[in-house]
Amino acid sequence: MTSVALRGDDSVVMVTQKKVPDKLMDGSFHTHLYNITPDIGCCMTGMSADARALVLQARETAAKFKDENGYPIPVHYLTLKIADRNQLWTQKAYGRPFGISTMFCSIDDEKGPSLYQVDPAGNYFGYKACAAGTKDDHEAINALEKIVKKKLTLTGPETIQQAINCLQTVMGMDFKPSDIEVGVVSKDKAGFYRLTESEIDTHLTAIAEKD
């Protein structure tokens, strides 16, 4: 899998490939996008079992923080706690690091649209755009750098289309709505949400018309 995320002026968009590994599997159970809290979303790229375990730990961390402090956990602090946990597993001889690259997004009360990435070693950084997966090293990063350097006015729909088009360019193929998942946090709509296939199709049509 390859995933990309792009931070716009008023939103953050995550786009990842969706491939159901077994034709007999119910596709609705297969996802790389998760809600940690209603306002914080994440995209997990890597081993699915590790992703599920890390998501549960992140949700537990967020729930404990809200119970102790009385307000939702800020996305940058959640990212720090997950990075600390990942780093801990690099010290244990009898365990292994999580085989997963994690991207978190949220609309922060102070910082606005926020995007963070954590790697299995425990490194974490804030990003304007980031990528994970098989083509994250050169192709996806170069494509995202070109978008950021253009200094476009990235409204919600434009951010979605730029992110989808970036992944299409990297993979060298035109997607169908069922081929990708798109997760969004925006100032215009509360919480982290996923686009339906019909909404994705609308954006794919708009991208094709631009070309």
Side-chain angles (χ1 to χ4, degrees), residues 109-142:
D109 291 339
E110 297 179 0
K111 300 180 180 180
S114 300
L115 172 64
Y116 295 88
Q117 186 174 26
V118 186
D119 69 13
N123 296 305
Y124 83 101
F125 300 96
Y127 285 88
K128 297 176 182 177
C130 58
T134 55
K135 300 201 174 187
D136 71 329
D137 50 354
H138 295 298
E139 297 161 77
I141 295 299
N142 290 341

Side-chain angles (χ1 to χ4, degrees), residues 70-89:
Y71 63 93
I73 189 170
V75 64
H76 64 85
Y77 186 70
L78 175 64
T79 306
L80 169 64
K81 300 301 286 185
I82 296 302
D84 287 345
R85 190 164 297 181
N86 281 3
Q87 199 281 330
L88 186 65
W89 282 102

Side-chain angles (χ1 to χ4, degrees), residues 123-164:
N123 296 305
Y124 83 101
F125 300 96
Y127 285 88
K128 297 176 182 177
C130 58
T134 55
K135 300 201 174 187
D136 71 329
D137 50 354
H138 295 298
E139 297 161 77
I141 295 299
N142 290 341
L144 289 168
E145 283 179 353
K146 289 178 182 177
I147 295 172
V148 172
K149 285 179 180 177
K150 289 178 183 178
K151 295 183 178 180
L152 302 170
T153 302
L154 293 174
T155 60
E158 181 64 22
T159 308
I160 294 170
Q161 291 166 22
Q162 289 287 347
I164 293 174

Side-chain angles (χ1 to χ4, degrees), residues 9 24 27 74 77 80 87 118 126 132 150 158 167 182 185 193 196:
D9 298 333
L24 298 177
Y77 186 70
L80 169 64
Q87 199 281 330
V118 186
K150 289 178 183 178
E158 181 64 22
L167 189 58
V182 181
V185 285
Y193 60 96
T196 63

Side-chain angles (χ1 to χ4, degrees), residues 1-5 14-19 31-33 43-45 103 132 167 175 178-183:
M1 299 292 105
T2 300
S3 307
V4 298
M14 295 174 169
V15 184
T16 182
Q17 290 177 274
K18 182 175 183 178
K19 291 182 180 178
T31 183
H32 299 282
L33 300 175
C43 177
M44 296 288 193
T45 309
M103 295 185 286
L167 189 58
F175 292 132
S178 59
D179 292 337
I180 57 174
E181 292 182 284
V182 181

